[in-house]
Amino acid sequence: MKVAILPDTTAIASVAADSFERLLTRKPTAVVGLATGSSPLPLYDELAARTEAGRLSFARARAFTLDEYVGLPEGHPEAYRSVIHRDFVDRVDFAPGAVNGPDGNAPDLLAEAARYDAAIRDAGGIDLQVLGIGGDGHLAFNEPGGSLASRTHVGVLTQRTRRDNARFFDGDPEAVPTRCLTQGLGTIMEARSLVLIATGAGKATAVREMLEGGVSALWPATLIQFHPDALVLLDESAASELTLADYYREVWQREGELA
């Protein structure tokens, strides 16, 4: 696992976008994993700018999103299918139908979870997965206490997550759905590369546990300690509780000098 503590979101977006550019240059047909939320927005801005400049292209690539709310009406502006198109997909050159997400209105949610997991596998797996981290250490909608080996499944959203996401629903936690479809931790860990972005002091404790704590279902993100190719990109505030912050800075600097 590589950890970079960078000065601001612009620097984080640039480093993360470099990972995409290298991948798509090497493999134009790559399968990428997309996350919603505020953390990846600067990355998506940078990728859109590089696509417009002709530095990279998603024209032959495919994508899978991490999760979806259950029960929001089709076309709801806060359904993650809508959000990812608004924030990123419609700003680059994906082919029609190349971006897939779980159907939160499927009549059989268990069957839909199994179908989605199989679709990722049938596509050859995800080459590069973008991740954020919740303040309680959740990845996607894998809440604390869940299985560390889970597959795509129907999940229940905790009150904390609903409060955190209420800002997208006019500040009303009761308007946030209580259930979701989410890639499981086992599914996420099968991606060949992970890029996790965390910014702000509100993520500092979760980041500390993720990088320096013991692997535990209490902090689902700790599982990425076992991933062979994970890149964690932090700003100074998110890194503020790390005991080994100076070590991470030195290693990142030395690796950059050798590149």
Side-chain angles (χ1 to χ4, degrees), residues 136 138 143-144 156-163 178:
D136 60 359
H138 70 249
E143 302 279 24
V156 173
L157 300 181
T158 65
Q159 284 298 321
R160 174 170 180 172
T161 295
R162 295 176 72 209
R163 286 195 302 270
T178 59

Side-chain angles (χ1 to χ4, degrees), residues 19 26 33 46 72 116 126 134 141 166 173 183 196 204 213 219 250 252:
S19 294
R26 182 180 79 251
E46 178 66 16
L72 287 182
Y116 194 64
I126 292 173
F141 273 140
Q183 285 188 38
L196 187 147
W219 297 93
E250 182 177 358
W252 183 256

